[in-house]
C-alpha cells in the first residue's frame, strides 16, 4: 500500500505553534492550492487542505513562515473522527506532514505592483 501526497501551496494564516500535554510541538495549518483550470465563470479556484506538522518541523515552520509563505509538503493522508458538542460524529481528513520545504515568502506589495518591462 502507498499513502503519500505531495503539495505545494500557500499558508492561509500565520502559523500558531501549540504543545501537547507531554510537550511535543504541533502545528495545524491550512495550505491553499490553486487548481490549474478555470471554472464556468473563467476564474481559477483553490482547494484548502488541512495539514498537521509535528516536532521540529512544526517549530521551524512557526518560526520562519507566515501567512502567504509557499510550502512544499510531503506526507500521508490520515482520517480521524470525534464527537462534537451536539454528539454528532465529525470526520476529518488531513495530511500529516513528514517533510516540509520552505519555497518562498509572500511577495511584498512593492514587488507585486512593479510592472515588468519586456522591451
Amino acid at each position: 500500500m502507498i499513502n503519500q501526497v505531495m503539495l505545494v501551496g500557500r499558508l492561509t494564516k500565520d502559523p500558531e505553534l501549540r504543545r501537547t500535554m507531554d510537550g511535543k510541538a504541533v502545528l495545524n495549518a491550512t495550505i491553499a492550492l490553486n487548481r490549474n483550470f478555470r471554472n464556468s465563470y473563467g476564474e481559477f479556484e483553490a482547494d484548502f487542505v488541512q495539514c498537521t506538522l509535528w516536532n521540529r518541523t512544526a517549530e521551524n515552520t512557526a518560526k520562519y513562515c507566515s501567512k502567504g509563505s509557499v510550502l512544499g509538503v510531503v506526507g500521508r493522508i490520515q482520517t480521524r473522527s470525534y464527537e462534537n458538542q451536539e454528539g454528532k460524529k465529525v470526520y476529518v481528513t488531513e495530511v500529516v506532514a513528514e517533510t516540509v520545504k520552505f519555497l518562498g515568502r509572500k511577495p511584498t506589495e512593492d514587488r507585486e505592483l512593479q510592472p515588468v518591462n519586456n522591451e
Side-chain angles (χ1 to χ4, degrees), residues 10 12 30-33 35 45-50:
R10 292 192 183 273
T12 60
T30 302
I31 308 283
L33 310 165
R35 295 180 181 173
E45 294 180 353
D47 292 301
F48 299 90
V49 178
Q50 301 293 322

Side-chain angles (χ1 to χ4, degrees), residues 74-93:
V74 177
R76 60 184 166 79
I77 294 176
Q78 177 176 294
T79 58
R80 59 186 169 86
S81 63
Y82 64 92
E83 282 193 22
N84 66 11
Q85 292 177 345
E86 291 87 38
K88 289 186 178 181
K89 197 169 212 177
V90 178
Y91 293 92
V92 178
T93 301

